Amino acid sequence: MGYQLLGLLSIISLFMVWITMPKVISYLKSFKIGQVIQADGPQHQHKAHTPTMGGLLIVLVTVALSIGVCGWYHLNAWPMMLIYGGVAMMGCWDDYQKIANKNNDKGLSPRQKLQYQLSLSCAAILFILLSGDEYVAQIYVPGLSYWQGWYPVGYAYVGWVMLVVTATSNAVNLTDGLDGLVAPLITIVAVGMLILMQMLGADALHISQDKLWASSIILACLAGSNGGFWYYNRFPAKIFMGDSGSLSSGALLGFLACICHMEFVFALFASVFIMETLSVIIQVGYFKSTGKRFFKMAPLHHHFELTGHHETQVTRYFIITGMGFTALGLYLWLG
């Protein structure tokens, strides 16, 4: 697939979001769909009532443009759209509940989110498995020892995909806590995956050319849409992504990483998301065992804020870190 077409799709999706977003912001303000800010932690109370659920526009543009290019008949695109659109709907309902109840703790419960994420990822991967794709149920394990190569795992792959998709979805959601942070990180990861897919090709990835085509188009549109959103989300943010955008983008990236057999290099690309998640796990575990906090606050970006770094500094550091890990992943896999 030509880089020109993928680049064009990214630019089109970027401009579609960039041009449309002011009307969306105005619409959300008119209906008072604003962010609820928690009282503890860094002082972000000035951000209260900033419009949220802006991720819905990212989803709509990405889905519409992807389906428009792939075609409604393209079976490889449907499981991806099921994951992306389905988790976006869950995130939208979660955002709405928080706004309606004026409390960040009054959305969907963690168990409800988990059940929904697991069900959607299970349905999506089963659709691919039952369609007769003989290569999908494999895991590529890189390394220099015996544990290196392709390993068929059969229907156990369903559980693996459910784990990766759910973990990535929640990791991206945890990272969405500062102005202008998560959108560029999503773009960086999507571009890294896109470059790797185009450089390696379908045969090296053990996927069909059709799947490579559909995955590349969706990644290009996702990268561009998040780039357009970032313009309005950078400090000081005029709109927030909300769970509708962060949960769905994470789920889509994790699913694409699995079906294109890039899980391990994807873990490098997504290192910032993983560090944010680990900070929460460490904080909770340490507090339960000692009654004290390991970090000043979790996720990790709030810890750096409370140590005296300005929000824009933390965002800059994290984005540079994300770019560095993505460059490292590309070097290791392509070098």
Side-chain angles (χ1 to χ4, degrees), residues 148-163:
Q148 178 179 5
W150 293 93
Y151 295 91
V153 293
Y155 279 93
Y157 196 67
V158 175
W160 171 249
V161 173
M162 291 166 67
L163 173 64

Side-chain angles (χ1 to χ4, degrees), residues 15-316:
F15 275 98
M16 287 176 68
V17 172
W18 183 67
I19 291 170
T20 312
M21 188 59 78
K23 292 187 179 297
V24 172
I25 293 174
S26 177
Y27 177 84
L28 292 172
K29 282 183 176 179
S30 67
F31 282 88
K32 298 182 179 180
I33 301 178
Q35 181 70 38
V36 179
I37 305 296
Q38 62 187 54
D40 60 325
Q43 294 303 307
H44 289 172
Q45 294 304 317
H46 60 282
K47 300 182 183 182
H49 309 304
T50 300
T52 187
M53 295 173 66
L56 279 178
L57 181 60
I58 297 175
V59 175
L60 290 173
V61 169
T62 301
V63 170
L65 199 53
S66 299
I67 294 297
V69 176
C70 290
W72 290 98
Y73 58 86
H74 205 302
L75 291 179
N76 282 301
W78 279 109
M80 306 172 198
M81 294 299 99
L82 172 63
I83 283 286
Y84 193 36
V87 177
M89 291 175 63
M90 177 196 74
C92 182
W93 181 247
D94 186 47
D95 287 331
Y96 174 77
Q97 290 294 315
K98 292 175 181 177
I99 294 166
N101 293 298
K102 295 181 170 55
N103 191 324
N104 267 337
D105 296 324
K106 296 296 184 179
L108 296 175
S109 69
R111 176 174 292 184
Q112 288 174 316
K113 291 181 185 177
L114 186 62
Q115 289 173 341
Y116 202 89
Q117 291 164 326
L118 291 173
S119 299
L120 279 172
S121 54
C122 179
I125 194 59
L126 280 175
F127 180 93
I128 294 179
L129 286 172
L130 297 175
S131 69
D133 189 330
E134 59 180 313
Y135 295 114
V136 68
Q138 302 181 68
I139 297 176
Y140 175 69
V141 180
L144 301 176
S145 63
Y146 172 77
W147 295 104
Q148 178 179 5
W150 293 93
Y151 295 91
V153 293
Y155 279 93
Y157 196 67
V158 175
W160 171 249
V161 173
M162 291 166 67
L163 173 64
V164 173
V165 169
T166 302
T168 309
S169 177
N170 291 308
V172 174
N173 181 243
L174 286 172
T175 308
D176 186 21
L178 297 179
D179 294 359
L181 176 58
V182 78
L185 287 173
I186 291 171
T187 298
I188 290 165
V189 173
V191 170
M193 294 173 67
L194 188 56
I195 292 173
L196 192 66
M197 290 165 65
Q198 294 303 302
M199 295 295 289
L200 292 178
D203 291 341
L205 292 170
H206 284 209
I207 60 176
S208 66
Q209 193 64 42
D210 281 348
K211 187 174 292 180
L212 180 70
W213 161 267
S215 301
S216 298
I217 286 172
I218 291 170
L219 282 171
C221 295
L222 180 68
S225 297
N226 275 276
F229 175 80
W230 173 81
Y231 180 82
Y232 298 98
N233 181 243
R234 61 200 169 97
F235 183 87
K238 296 179 178 64
I239 189 167
F240 296 137
M241 183 178 290
D243 289 357
S244 53
S246 58
L247 286 171
S248 58
S249 294
L252 177 61
L253 288 172
F255 187 71
L256 289 172
C258 288
I259 65 173
C260 294
H261 304 126
M262 298 192 300
E263 297 97 319
F264 288 93
V265 67
F266 172 73
L268 261 181
F269 292 166
S271 291
V272 173
F273 300 139
I274 293 173
M275 288 189 295
E276 293 272 49
T277 305
L278 287 177
S279 71
V280 173
I281 295 172
I282 292 170
Q283 184 84 324
V284 172
Y286 190 79
F287 185 80
K288 285 184 176 180
S289 60
T290 66
K292 300 178 181 179
R293 294 185 177 189
F294 187 86
F295 299 103
K296 289 181 179 295
M297 187 178 179
L300 190 60
H301 55 259
H302 288 320
H303 169 79
F304 283 107
E305 276 193 286
L306 291 175
T307 56
H309 294 81
H310 190 269
E311 181 174 353
T312 54
Q313 290 180 305
V314 180
T315 299
R316 191 181 308 120

